[in-house]
Amino acid sequence: MSEMKLTFKTPDEIVEFVKTVSRYDFDIDVSRGRVIVDAKSLLGIMHLGLNSILDLKMHTGDCQELKTELLKYAA
């Protein structure tokens, strides 16, 4: 499992993020506090809010390519 911190400034960033993570077969979760949502759920991530620091968890050992793609959202 691999983790990183994310933040989204606009709704368009969330839409682009969901499209990116949806291409991967492994489970990916995003959380803020006690709330955990599937990273492939547009409404779930929008519920977490903009301009908040979110925790991303990728449930695989081989996620370096995805981490590189997501660096633009790093908090």
Side-chain angles (χ1 to χ4, degrees):
M1 182 168 71
S2 185
E3 299 181 21
M4 66 187 292
K5 303 263 187 205
L6 303 174
T7 189
F8 301 107
K9 308 230 182 302
T10 67
D12 290 336
E13 286 185 347
I14 295 175
V15 171
E16 185 180 331
F17 169 81
V18 170
K19 285 180 183 177
T20 300
V21 298
S22 293
R23 295 190 328 246
Y24 293 86
D25 291 334
F26 51 86
D27 289 333
I28 306 167
D29 296 323
V30 178
S31 62
R32 187 180 88 201
R34 295 182 303 165
V35 179
I36 301 170
V37 299
D38 184 345
K40 298 172 186 175
S41 168
L42 180 61
L43 291 176
I45 295 181
M46 288 204 174
H47 172 72
L48 296 177
L50 297 173
N51 300 313
S52 299
I53 302 217
L54 308 174
D55 295 309
L56 175 76
K57 291 185 181 171
M58 296 162 274
H59 301 276
T60 184
D62 182 27
C63 59
Q64 193 57 43
E65 180 182 336
L66 176 57
K67 285 177 87 172
T68 303
E69 289 186 66
L70 300 181
L71 282 177
K72 59 186 163 191
Y73 309 115

